Amino acid sequence: MKVTDHFKKAKGKTLISFEILPPLKGGSMDAIFKNLDPLMDFKPPFIDVTYHREEFVYKKQASGYFEKTAIRKRPGTVGICASIAHKYNVDAVPHLICGGFTKEETENTLIDLNFLKVNNILALRGDARKFEAKFHPTEGGHNYAIDLVKQISNMNKGQYLDDNIINGQKTDFCIGIAGYPEKHFEAPNKKCDLQFTKDKIDAGANYIVTQMFFDNQVYFDYVKQCRALGIDVPIIPGIKPLTKKYQITSLPRYFYVSLPEALVSEIRKAKDDAAVKEIGIEWCIEQAKSLKAFGVPSIHFYTMGDAETISRIAKAVY
Ligand code: FAD
């Protein structure tokens, strides 16, 4: 079922959903299932699986020199989605990214997904590769997420890259996109960023999942700004608990999000990471309760492989 149909069926009830990462290359599906099993008690109607671009690593050669090599450390998104859908009978939502793929490769992946009956996609640009200062599109690939949204929308109309395909099968993908309550770090200003988001909706996207935030007011304001611009699709808040002290500097650095002073000062006072985790869980529970009271379509938890922590939060909220 489409993510948006799950919302229609829920009739205003706040659903729960999760995002998981594929295991590192060489890892097994069992680890994924072990992490997901306890979370299935909460009956998520859909589960997102991230996609990871190849990264550059420096590998020592026999000559003793280091060579820059590209490897994809977390392959398997499409297979994981099919496997999750099969085992749990839930909808799995693969993330598709522009970086690292030609349009042709993207089309072939979409064909695979369609045949597998995976009909939800989160369409993203992807980040810059490690050791690269900015995002470089792949030759023959897309520059921005909107181009990927357009490609998926075209396939929904039966239009494939090859003009010779007439009467191509119309796919029926429901398309999600990313939204940034605190602004995407590259956008010159909030207004531009919101307009680019609106453009993605106008190009065929059906819902938005937000970057994490730790102050709900930021999300409430974002929803208001989107609505004022005519963005009328569901806006799913994505949240995660803080569990380690170092995250008070690493999360702003990697995700360009800010942390409220009340949370930071509590964490600074914590004697160790076990105490930080308790503060983070409590904060996340309060966030989730208030989002639920606001009537959000779903609370989307970034699980980061930590089912135990997410289960504790979900139990307190649902
Ligand atoms: P875009 O919508 O293309 O926007 C990128 C930047 O370009 C923004 O600053 C935007 O304002 C600007 N922009 C957009 N259109 C134009 C235009 N026409 N002209 C000029 N500027 C423009 N990354 C992964 O690699 N894998 C994942 O699985 C993944 N999952 C994510 C899930 C969520 C919920 C979120 C919020 C992010 C996720 N990301 C993931 C990270 C995401 O790929 C990065 O944040 C990336 O930098 C931007 O992606 P986007 O889809 O928002 O890009």
mmCIF file of all heavy atoms in Angstrom, residues 15-21 35-50 84 90-93 95 209 236-239 298-307 309-315 318:
data_model
loop_
_atom_site.group_PDB
_atom_site.id
_atom_site.type_symbol
_atom_site.label_atom_id
_atom_site.label_comp_id
_atom_site.label_asym_id
_atom_site.label_seq_id
_atom_site.Cartn_x
_atom_site.Cartn_y
_atom_site.Cartn_z
ATOM 1 N N LEU A 15 0.522 7.385 13.138
ATOM 2 C CA LEU A 15 1.160 6.083 12.932
ATOM 3 C C LEU A 15 2.611 6.141 13.434
ATOM 4 O O LEU A 15 3.091 7.201 13.841
ATOM 5 C CB LEU A 15 1.141 5.730 11.438
ATOM 6 C CG LEU A 15 -0.247 5.677 10.786
ATOM 7 C CD1 LEU A 15 -0.132 5.458 9.286
ATOM 8 C CD2 LEU A 15 -1.090 4.569 11.424
ATOM 9 N N ILE A 16 3.269 5.007 13.363
ATOM 10 C CA ILE A 16 4.683 4.953 13.748
ATOM 11 C C ILE A 16 5.443 4.323 12.579
ATOM 12 O O ILE A 16 4.942 3.407 11.921
ATOM 13 C CB ILE A 16 4.874 4.139 15.048
ATOM 14 C CG1 ILE A 16 6.328 4.233 15.540
ATOM 15 C CG2 ILE A 16 4.492 2.672 14.869
ATOM 16 C CD1 ILE A 16 6.524 3.698 16.965
ATOM 17 N N SER A 17 6.618 4.839 12.286
ATOM 18 C CA SER A 17 7.421 4.250 11.207
ATOM 19 C C SER A 17 8.895 4.348 11.586
ATOM 20 O O SER A 17 9.269 5.130 12.461
ATOM 21 C CB SER A 17 7.134 4.957 9.880
ATOM 22 O OG SER A 17 7.188 6.356 10.028
ATOM 23 N N PHE A 18 9.695 3.536 10.916
ATOM 24 C CA PHE A 18 11.117 3.454 11.280
ATOM 25 C C PHE A 18 12.006 3.580 10.051
ATOM 26 O O PHE A 18 11.617 3.192 8.949
ATOM 27 C CB PHE A 18 11.409 2.090 11.936
ATOM 28 C CG PHE A 18 10.574 1.821 13.156
ATOM 29 C CD1 PHE A 18 9.634 0.799 13.157
ATOM 30 C CD2 PHE A 18 10.710 2.598 14.287
ATOM 31 C CE1 PHE A 18 8.844 0.552 14.275
ATOM 32 C CE2 PHE A 18 9.924 2.362 15.417
ATOM 33 C CZ PHE A 18 8.996 1.334 15.403
ATOM 34 N N GLU A 19 13.192 4.088 10.289
ATOM 35 C CA GLU A 19 14.217 4.083 9.226
ATOM 36 C C GLU A 19 15.370 3.200 9.687
ATOM 37 O O GLU A 19 15.837 3.316 10.814
ATOM 38 C CB GLU A 19 14.744 5.505 8.976
ATOM 39 C CG GLU A 19 15.824 5.532 7.901
ATOM 40 C CD GLU A 19 16.548 6.863 7.803
ATOM 41 O OE1 GLU A 19 15.982 7.796 7.220
ATOM 42 O OE2 GLU A 19 17.700 6.949 8.287
ATOM 43 N N ILE A 20 15.791 2.303 8.806
ATOM 44 C CA ILE A 20 16.938 1.456 9.144
ATOM 45 C C ILE A 20 18.022 1.607 8.081
ATOM 46 O O ILE A 20 17.756 2.066 6.970
ATOM 47 C CB ILE A 20 16.549 -0.030 9.281
ATOM 48 C CG1 ILE A 20 16.005 -0.573 7.935
ATOM 49 C CG2 ILE A 20 15.528 -0.248 10.380
ATOM 50 C CD1 ILE A 20 16.036 -2.081 7.856
ATOM 51 N N LEU A 21 19.234 1.209 8.437
ATOM 52 C CA LEU A 21 20.369 1.258 7.513
ATOM 53 C C LEU A 21 20.704 -0.159 7.050
ATOM 54 O O LEU A 21 20.626 -1.088 7.866
ATOM 55 C CB LEU A 21 21.606 1.795 8.231
ATOM 56 C CG LEU A 21 21.867 3.289 8.285
ATOM 57 C CD1 LEU A 21 20.786 3.996 9.070
ATOM 58 C CD2 LEU A 21 23.236 3.562 8.890
ATOM 59 N N ASN A 35 17.169 -6.613 14.705
ATOM 60 C CA ASN A 35 16.889 -5.235 15.101
ATOM 61 C C ASN A 35 15.410 -4.894 14.893
ATOM 62 O O ASN A 35 14.813 -4.168 15.684
ATOM 63 C CB ASN A 35 17.787 -4.303 14.278
ATOM 64 C CG ASN A 35 17.697 -2.871 14.744
ATOM 65 O OD1 ASN A 35 17.795 -2.600 15.943
ATOM 66 N ND2 ASN A 35 17.474 -1.958 13.827
ATOM 67 N N LEU A 36 14.841 -5.453 13.818
ATOM 68 C CA LEU A 36 13.442 -5.096 13.506
ATOM 69 C C LEU A 36 12.417 -5.875 14.320
ATOM 70 O O LEU A 36 11.354 -5.335 14.640
ATOM 71 C CB LEU A 36 13.173 -5.316 12.014
ATOM 72 C CG LEU A 36 13.547 -4.166 11.088
ATOM 73 C CD1 LEU A 36 13.261 -4.545 9.640
ATOM 74 C CD2 LEU A 36 12.781 -2.886 11.443
ATOM 75 N N ASP A 37 12.740 -7.133 14.673
ATOM 76 C CA ASP A 37 11.748 -7.989 15.360
ATOM 77 C C ASP A 37 11.050 -7.272 16.519
ATOM 78 O O ASP A 37 9.821 -7.216 16.553
ATOM 79 C CB ASP A 37 12.392 -9.297 15.849
ATOM 80 C CG ASP A 37 12.555 -10.307 14.715
ATOM 81 O OD1 ASP A 37 11.943 -10.099 13.645
ATOM 82 O OD2 ASP A 37 13.302 -11.295 14.890
ATOM 83 N N PRO A 38 11.814 -6.697 17.477
ATOM 84 C CA PRO A 38 11.105 -6.049 18.601
ATOM 85 C C PRO A 38 10.306 -4.817 18.177
ATOM 86 O O PRO A 38 9.295 -4.489 18.804
ATOM 87 C CB PRO A 38 12.237 -5.643 19.556
ATOM 88 C CG PRO A 38 13.502 -5.745 18.788
ATOM 89 C CD PRO A 38 13.275 -6.675 17.642
ATOM 90 N N LEU A 39 10.722 -4.172 17.091
ATOM 91 C CA LEU A 39 10.008 -2.961 16.654
ATOM 92 C C LEU A 39 8.685 -3.299 15.962
ATOM 93 O O LEU A 39 7.783 -2.467 15.882
ATOM 94 C CB LEU A 39 10.894 -2.136 15.715
ATOM 95 C CG LEU A 39 12.171 -1.575 16.351
ATOM 96 C CD1 LEU A 39 13.023 -0.858 15.304
ATOM 97 C CD2 LEU A 39 11.831 -0.615 17.483
ATOM 98 N N MET A 40 8.571 -4.537 15.466
ATOM 99 C CA MET A 40 7.338 -4.921 14.771
ATOM 100 C C MET A 40 6.154 -4.999 15.729
ATOM 101 O O MET A 40 4.999 -4.950 15.302
ATOM 102 C CB MET A 40 7.519 -6.261 14.038
ATOM 103 C CG MET A 40 8.572 -6.247 12.953
ATOM 104 S SD MET A 40 8.572 -4.774 11.928
ATOM 105 C CE MET A 40 7.086 -5.020 10.993
ATOM 106 N N ASP A 41 6.435 -5.111 17.051
ATOM 107 C CA ASP A 41 5.339 -5.106 18.040
ATOM 108 C C ASP A 41 4.501 -3.830 17.935
ATOM 109 O O ASP A 41 3.343 -3.805 18.334
ATOM 110 C CB ASP A 41 5.914 -5.161 19.475
ATOM 111 C CG ASP A 41 6.529 -6.509 19.787
ATOM 112 O OD1 ASP A 41 6.282 -7.450 19.012
ATOM 113 O OD2 ASP A 41 7.253 -6.611 20.792
ATOM 114 N N PHE A 42 5.114 -2.760 17.411
ATOM 115 C CA PHE A 42 4.398 -1.475 17.343
ATOM 116 C C PHE A 42 3.608 -1.313 16.038
ATOM 117 O O PHE A 42 3.040 -0.269 15.776
ATOM 118 C CB PHE A 42 5.389 -0.306 17.543
ATOM 119 C CG PHE A 42 6.118 -0.413 18.853
ATOM 120 C CD1 PHE A 42 7.414 -0.912 18.913
ATOM 121 C CD2 PHE A 42 5.482 -0.076 20.033
ATOM 122 C CE1 PHE A 42 8.069 -1.055 20.120
ATOM 123 C CE2 PHE A 42 6.124 -0.214 21.256
ATOM 124 C CZ PHE A 42 7.429 -0.707 21.303
ATOM 125 N N LYS A 43 3.638 -2.360 15.216
ATOM 126 C CA LYS A 43 2.876 -2.403 13.967
ATOM 127 C C LYS A 43 3.117 -1.211 13.032
ATOM 128 O O LYS A 43 2.174 -0.496 12.651
ATOM 129 C CB LYS A 43 1.367 -2.540 14.243
ATOM 130 C CG LYS A 43 1.041 -3.701 15.169
ATOM 131 C CD LYS A 43 -0.311 -4.284 14.874
ATOM 132 C CE LYS A 43 -0.654 -5.512 15.671
ATOM 133 N NZ LYS A 43 0.417 -6.374 16.094
ATOM 134 N N PRO A 44 4.381 -0.989 12.668
ATOM 135 C CA PRO A 44 4.640 0.092 11.709
ATOM 136 C C PRO A 44 4.077 -0.291 10.339
ATOM 137 O O PRO A 44 4.294 -1.416 9.888
ATOM 138 C CB PRO A 44 6.173 0.146 11.650
ATOM 139 C CG PRO A 44 6.605 -1.241 11.999
ATOM 140 C CD PRO A 44 5.587 -1.755 12.989
ATOM 141 N N PRO A 45 3.332 0.584 9.677
ATOM 142 C CA PRO A 45 2.823 0.232 8.347
ATOM 143 C C PRO A 45 3.910 0.309 7.283
ATOM 144 O O PRO A 45 3.773 -0.298 6.221
ATOM 145 C CB PRO A 45 1.733 1.268 8.090
ATOM 146 C CG PRO A 45 1.999 2.378 9.039
ATOM 147 C CD PRO A 45 2.794 1.850 10.174
ATOM 148 N N PHE A 46 4.970 1.069 7.554
ATOM 149 C CA PHE A 46 6.068 1.117 6.576
ATOM 150 C C PHE A 46 7.414 1.333 7.271
ATOM 151 O O PHE A 46 7.475 1.884 8.371
ATOM 152 C CB PHE A 46 5.822 2.190 5.502
ATOM 153 C CG PHE A 46 5.724 3.605 6.015
ATOM 154 C CD1 PHE A 46 6.834 4.440 6.042
ATOM 155 C CD2 PHE A 46 4.512 4.110 6.456
ATOM 156 C CE1 PHE A 46 6.739 5.742 6.504
ATOM 157 C CE2 PHE A 46 4.401 5.418 6.928
ATOM 158 C CZ PHE A 46 5.519 6.240 6.949
ATOM 159 N N ILE A 47 8.443 0.830 6.595
ATOM 160 C CA ILE A 47 9.806 0.924 7.125
ATOM 161 C C ILE A 47 10.713 1.433 6.012
ATOM 162 O O ILE A 47 10.701 0.890 4.896
ATOM 163 C CB ILE A 47 10.293 -0.474 7.596
ATOM 164 C CG1 ILE A 47 9.475 -0.916 8.808
ATOM 165 C CG2 ILE A 47 11.785 -0.463 7.937
ATOM 166 C CD1 ILE A 47 9.635 -2.361 9.162
ATOM 167 N N ASP A 48 11.468 2.464 6.292
ATOM 168 C CA ASP A 48 12.390 3.014 5.288
ATOM 169 C C ASP A 48 13.758 2.339 5.372
ATOM 170 O O ASP A 48 14.234 2.021 6.466
ATOM 171 C CB ASP A 48 12.615 4.513 5.555
ATOM 172 C CG ASP A 48 11.518 5.364 4.949
ATOM 173 O OD1 ASP A 48 10.333 5.042 5.149
ATOM 174 O OD2 ASP A 48 11.863 6.355 4.268
ATOM 175 N N VAL A 49 14.359 2.153 4.222
ATOM 176 C CA VAL A 49 15.718 1.598 4.179
ATOM 177 C C VAL A 49 16.600 2.586 3.416
ATOM 178 O O VAL A 49 16.308 2.915 2.256
ATOM 179 C CB VAL A 49 15.752 0.219 3.488
ATOM 180 C CG1 VAL A 49 17.153 -0.382 3.556
ATOM 181 C CG2 VAL A 49 14.734 -0.737 4.113
ATOM 182 N N THR A 50 17.644 3.060 4.052
ATOM 183 C CA THR A 50 18.487 4.095 3.434
ATOM 184 C C THR A 50 19.318 3.527 2.280
ATOM 185 O O THR A 50 19.478 2.310 2.152
ATOM 186 C CB THR A 50 19.443 4.725 4.468
ATOM 187 O OG1 THR A 50 20.227 3.681 5.046
ATOM 188 C CG2 THR A 50 18.671 5.449 5.554
ATOM 189 N N ILE A 84 12.150 -7.540 3.742
ATOM 190 C CA ILE A 84 11.320 -7.033 4.856
ATOM 191 C C ILE A 84 9.832 -7.175 4.512
ATOM 192 O O ILE A 84 9.020 -7.628 5.329
ATOM 193 C CB ILE A 84 11.652 -5.543 5.133
ATOM 194 C CG1 ILE A 84 13.010 -5.426 5.806
ATOM 195 C CG2 ILE A 84 10.576 -4.891 6.004
ATOM 196 C CD1 ILE A 84 13.457 -3.997 6.001
ATOM 197 N N VAL A 90 4.861 -5.820 5.607
ATOM 198 C CA VAL A 90 4.721 -4.356 5.742
ATOM 199 C C VAL A 90 5.280 -3.739 4.462
ATOM 200 O O VAL A 90 5.963 -4.412 3.684
ATOM 201 C CB VAL A 90 5.509 -3.774 6.937
ATOM 202 C CG1 VAL A 90 4.986 -4.266 8.260
ATOM 203 C CG2 VAL A 90 7.001 -4.032 6.788
ATOM 204 N N ASP A 91 5.012 -2.453 4.279
ATOM 205 C CA ASP A 91 5.592 -1.780 3.118
ATOM 206 C C ASP A 91 6.997 -1.305 3.453
ATOM 207 O O ASP A 91 7.211 -0.690 4.502
ATOM 208 C CB ASP A 91 4.697 -0.603 2.712
ATOM 209 C CG ASP A 91 3.452 -1.108 2.027
ATOM 210 O OD1 ASP A 91 3.585 -1.742 0.973
ATOM 211 O OD2 ASP A 91 2.345 -0.928 2.584
ATOM 212 N N ALA A 92 7.908 -1.624 2.566
ATOM 213 C CA ALA A 92 9.286 -1.177 2.760
ATOM 214 C C ALA A 92 9.529 -0.041 1.767
ATOM 215 O O ALA A 92 9.124 -0.118 0.613
ATOM 216 C CB ALA A 92 10.242 -2.325 2.499
ATOM 217 N N VAL A 93 10.158 1.025 2.250
ATOM 218 C CA VAL A 93 10.378 2.208 1.410
ATOM 219 C C VAL A 93 11.870 2.380 1.157
ATOM 220 O O VAL A 93 12.614 2.808 2.041
ATOM 221 C CB VAL A 93 9.830 3.486 2.097
ATOM 222 C CG1 VAL A 93 9.948 4.689 1.169
ATOM 223 C CG2 VAL A 93 8.401 3.292 2.576
ATOM 224 N N HIS A 95 15.161 4.183 -0.083
ATOM 225 C CA HIS A 95 15.617 5.524 -0.441
ATOM 226 C C HIS A 95 16.379 5.388 -1.755
ATOM 227 O O HIS A 95 17.182 4.472 -1.902
ATOM 228 C CB HIS A 95 16.548 6.081 0.640
ATOM 229 C CG HIS A 95 15.843 6.346 1.936
ATOM 230 N ND1 HIS A 95 16.426 7.025 2.981
ATOM 231 C CD2 HIS A 95 14.581 6.027 2.350
ATOM 232 C CE1 HIS A 95 15.553 7.123 3.972
ATOM 233 N NE2 HIS A 95 14.437 6.508 3.620
ATOM 234 N N VAL A 209 9.337 13.766 4.408
ATOM 235 C CA VAL A 209 9.864 13.295 5.701
ATOM 236 C C VAL A 209 10.939 14.299 6.117
ATOM 237 O O VAL A 209 11.805 14.655 5.308
ATOM 238 C CB VAL A 209 10.511 11.890 5.600
ATOM 239 C CG1 VAL A 209 10.966 11.424 6.978
ATOM 240 C CG2 VAL A 209 9.552 10.883 4.995
ATOM 241 N N ILE A 236 5.912 14.322 7.509
ATOM 242 C CA ILE A 236 6.200 13.361 8.584
ATOM 243 C C ILE A 236 7.433 13.810 9.361
ATOM 244 O O ILE A 236 8.511 13.957 8.774
ATOM 245 C CB ILE A 236 6.479 11.959 7.991
ATOM 246 C CG1 ILE A 236 5.332 11.556 7.064
ATOM 247 C CG2 ILE A 236 6.697 10.936 9.067
ATOM 248 C CD1 ILE A 236 5.633 10.321 6.248
ATOM 249 N N PRO A 237 7.289 14.018 10.666
ATOM 250 C CA PRO A 237 8.467 14.402 11.438
ATOM 251 C C PRO A 237 9.394 13.214 11.672
ATOM 252 O O PRO A 237 8.954 12.132 12.078
ATOM 253 C CB PRO A 237 7.869 14.890 12.761
ATOM 254 C CG PRO A 237 6.571 14.168 12.891
ATOM 255 C CD PRO A 237 6.071 13.922 11.497
ATOM 256 N N GLY A 238 10.667 13.402 11.400
ATOM 257 C CA GLY A 238 11.674 12.371 11.672
ATOM 258 C C GLY A 238 12.431 12.765 12.936
ATOM 259 O O GLY A 238 12.895 13.891 13.039
ATOM 260 N N ILE A 239 12.488 11.858 13.911
ATOM 261 C CA ILE A 239 13.213 12.205 15.146
ATOM 262 C C ILE A 239 14.103 11.053 15.600
ATOM 263 O O ILE A 239 13.904 9.905 15.196
ATOM 264 C CB ILE A 239 12.266 12.613 16.313
ATOM 265 C CG1 ILE A 239 11.261 11.521 16.657
ATOM 266 C CG2 ILE A 239 11.548 13.919 15.990
ATOM 267 C CD1 ILE A 239 10.434 11.833 17.924
ATOM 268 N N SER A 298 2.592 10.504 11.088
ATOM 269 C CA SER A 298 3.367 9.384 11.631
ATOM 270 C C SER A 298 4.555 9.987 12.364
ATOM 271 O O SER A 298 4.992 11.091 12.034
ATOM 272 C CB SER A 298 3.871 8.481 10.495
ATOM 273 O OG SER A 298 4.631 7.413 11.034
ATOM 274 N N ILE A 299 5.057 9.270 13.349
ATOM 275 C CA ILE A 299 6.347 9.680 13.928
ATOM 276 C C ILE A 299 7.357 8.693 13.375
ATOM 277 O O ILE A 299 7.198 7.474 13.511
ATOM 278 C CB ILE A 299 6.324 9.687 15.460
ATOM 279 C CG1 ILE A 299 5.234 10.658 15.944
ATOM 280 C CG2 ILE A 299 7.696 10.116 16.006
ATOM 281 C CD1 ILE A 299 5.070 10.723 17.445
ATOM 282 N N HIS A 300 8.344 9.243 12.688
ATOM 283 C CA HIS A 300 9.310 8.434 11.960
ATOM 284 C C HIS A 300 10.607 8.424 12.774
ATOM 285 O O HIS A 300 11.245 9.462 12.936
ATOM 286 C CB HIS A 300 9.510 9.098 10.597
ATOM 287 C CG HIS A 300 10.255 8.280 9.606
ATOM 288 N ND1 HIS A 300 9.751 7.124 9.061
ATOM 289 C CD2 HIS A 300 11.477 8.466 9.031
ATOM 290 C CE1 HIS A 300 10.623 6.632 8.192
ATOM 291 N NE2 HIS A 300 11.680 7.422 8.166
ATOM 292 N N PHE A 301 10.952 7.245 13.287
ATOM 293 C CA PHE A 301 12.141 7.171 14.154
ATOM 294 C C PHE A 301 13.365 6.728 13.356
ATOM 295 O O PHE A 301 13.333 5.702 12.667
ATOM 296 C CB PHE A 301 11.905 6.174 15.290
ATOM 297 C CG PHE A 301 10.944 6.665 16.337
ATOM 298 C CD1 PHE A 301 9.611 6.270 16.316
ATOM 299 C CD2 PHE A 301 11.366 7.536 17.337
ATOM 300 C CE1 PHE A 301 8.718 6.727 17.281
ATOM 301 C CE2 PHE A 301 10.477 8.003 18.304
ATOM 302 C CZ PHE A 301 9.161 7.601 18.274
ATOM 303 N N TYR A 302 14.418 7.508 13.487
ATOM 304 C CA TYR A 302 15.722 7.095 12.931
ATOM 305 C C TYR A 302 16.311 6.120 13.939
ATOM 306 O O TYR A 302 16.722 6.517 15.022
ATOM 307 C CB TYR A 302 16.626 8.317 12.752
ATOM 308 C CG TYR A 302 16.081 9.294 11.744
ATOM 309 C CD1 TYR A 302 15.627 10.550 12.125
ATOM 310 C CD2 TYR A 302 15.997 8.937 10.409
ATOM 311 C CE1 TYR A 302 15.105 11.435 11.182
ATOM 312 C CE2 TYR A 302 15.471 9.810 9.465
ATOM 313 C CZ TYR A 302 15.029 11.048 9.860
ATOM 314 O OH TYR A 302 14.500 11.914 8.940
ATOM 315 N N THR A 303 16.317 4.818 13.604
ATOM 316 C CA THR A 303 16.638 3.807 14.620
ATOM 317 C C THR A 303 18.135 3.625 14.846
ATOM 318 O O THR A 303 18.546 3.222 15.925
ATOM 319 C CB THR A 303 16.050 2.423 14.249
ATOM 320 O OG1 THR A 303 16.692 1.952 13.060
ATOM 321 C CG2 THR A 303 14.547 2.485 14.030
ATOM 322 N N MET A 304 18.941 3.883 13.834
ATOM 323 C CA MET A 304 20.398 3.729 13.931
ATOM 324 C C MET A 304 20.788 2.374 14.559
ATOM 325 O O MET A 304 21.741 2.275 15.331
ATOM 326 C CB MET A 304 21.020 4.864 14.753
ATOM 327 C CG MET A 304 20.641 6.274 14.322
ATOM 328 S SD MET A 304 20.999 6.654 12.600
ATOM 329 C CE MET A 304 22.769 6.792 12.648
ATOM 330 N N GLY A 305 20.025 1.347 14.259
ATOM 331 C CA GLY A 305 20.351 -0.010 14.727
ATOM 332 C C GLY A 305 20.132 -0.207 16.221
ATOM 333 O O GLY A 305 20.581 -1.208 16.791
ATOM 334 N N ASP A 306 19.440 0.722 16.888
ATOM 335 C CA ASP A 306 19.274 0.628 18.336
ATOM 336 C C ASP A 306 17.803 0.390 18.685
ATOM 337 O O ASP A 306 17.098 1.274 19.168
ATOM 338 C CB ASP A 306 19.797 1.924 18.979
ATOM 339 C CG ASP A 306 19.823 1.853 20.498
ATOM 340 O OD1 ASP A 306 19.356 0.845 21.060
ATOM 341 O OD2 ASP A 306 20.306 2.817 21.116
ATOM 342 N N ALA A 307 17.352 -0.834 18.437
ATOM 343 C CA ALA A 307 15.934 -1.170 18.635
ATOM 344 C C ALA A 307 15.520 -1.020 20.096
ATOM 345 O O ALA A 307 14.403 -0.610 20.391
ATOM 346 C CB ALA A 307 15.677 -2.596 18.172
ATOM 347 N N THR A 309 16.482 1.087 22.450
ATOM 348 C CA THR A 309 16.181 2.481 22.818
ATOM 349 C C THR A 309 14.875 2.944 22.172
ATOM 350 O O THR A 309 14.018 3.550 22.818
ATOM 351 C CB THR A 309 17.350 3.396 22.371
ATOM 352 O OG1 THR A 309 18.513 2.974 23.064
ATOM 353 C CG2 THR A 309 17.081 4.853 22.672
ATOM 354 N N ILE A 310 14.719 2.634 20.882
ATOM 355 C CA ILE A 310 13.521 3.093 20.168
ATOM 356 C C ILE A 310 12.276 2.406 20.753
ATOM 357 O O ILE A 310 11.228 3.029 20.901
ATOM 358 C CB ILE A 310 13.648 2.817 18.640
ATOM 359 C CG1 ILE A 310 14.887 3.535 18.056
ATOM 360 C CG2 ILE A 310 12.384 3.236 17.894
ATOM 361 C CD1 ILE A 310 14.898 5.048 18.170
ATOM 362 N N SER A 311 12.413 1.133 21.140
ATOM 363 C CA SER A 311 11.271 0.418 21.735
ATOM 364 C C SER A 311 10.843 1.095 23.030
ATOM 365 O O SER A 311 9.641 1.233 23.302
ATOM 366 C CB SER A 311 11.642 -1.032 22.057
ATOM 367 O OG SER A 311 11.823 -1.743 20.894
ATOM 368 N N ARG A 312 11.813 1.493 23.844
ATOM 369 C CA ARG A 312 11.469 2.159 25.114
ATOM 370 C C ARG A 312 10.659 3.429 24.852
ATOM 371 O O ARG A 312 9.683 3.719 25.540
ATOM 372 C CB ARG A 312 12.758 2.532 25.866
ATOM 373 C CG ARG A 312 13.255 1.420 26.760
ATOM 374 C CD ARG A 312 14.441 1.850 27.582
ATOM 375 N NE ARG A 312 14.142 2.934 28.511
ATOM 376 C CZ ARG A 312 15.060 3.589 29.206
ATOM 377 N NH1 ARG A 312 16.336 3.274 29.077
ATOM 378 N NH2 ARG A 312 14.722 4.554 30.030
ATOM 379 N N ILE A 313 11.085 4.179 23.831
ATOM 380 C CA ILE A 313 10.386 5.435 23.510
ATOM 381 C C ILE A 313 8.987 5.125 22.980
ATOM 382 O O ILE A 313 7.995 5.707 23.435
ATOM 383 C CB ILE A 313 11.204 6.256 22.488
ATOM 384 C CG1 ILE A 313 12.544 6.649 23.105
ATOM 385 C CG2 ILE A 313 10.434 7.494 22.019
ATOM 386 C CD1 ILE A 313 13.588 7.093 22.118
ATOM 387 N N ALA A 314 8.925 4.182 22.035
ATOM 388 C CA ALA A 314 7.637 3.853 21.415
ATOM 389 C C ALA A 314 6.634 3.354 22.461
ATOM 390 O O ALA A 314 5.456 3.712 22.428
ATOM 391 C CB ALA A 314 7.839 2.820 20.317
ATOM 392 N N LYS A 315 7.125 2.548 23.423
ATOM 393 C CA LYS A 315 6.241 2.013 24.478
ATOM 394 C C LYS A 315 5.629 3.145 25.303
ATOM 395 O O LYS A 315 4.483 3.082 25.724
ATOM 396 C CB LYS A 315 7.058 1.100 25.410
ATOM 397 C CG LYS A 315 6.737 -0.349 25.201
ATOM 398 C CD LYS A 315 7.468 -1.231 26.197
ATOM 399 C CE LYS A 315 7.802 -2.545 25.509
ATOM 400 N NZ LYS A 315 9.080 -3.101 25.855
ATOM 401 N N TYR A 318 3.058 5.090 22.470
ATOM 402 C CA TYR A 318 1.952 4.420 21.749
ATOM 403 C C TYR A 318 1.237 3.402 22.637
ATOM 404 O O TYR A 318 1.792 2.905 23.567
ATOM 405 C CB TYR A 318 2.505 3.724 20.500
ATOM 406 C CG TYR A 318 2.828 4.727 19.403
ATOM 407 C CD1 TYR A 318 4.083 5.336 19.357
ATOM 408 C CD2 TYR A 318 1.875 5.089 18.452
ATOM 409 C CE1 TYR A 318 4.382 6.266 18.371
ATOM 410 C CE2 TYR A 318 2.171 6.017 17.457
ATOM 411 C CZ TYR A 318 3.427 6.604 17.428
ATOM 412 O OH TYR A 318 3.723 7.513 16.457
#
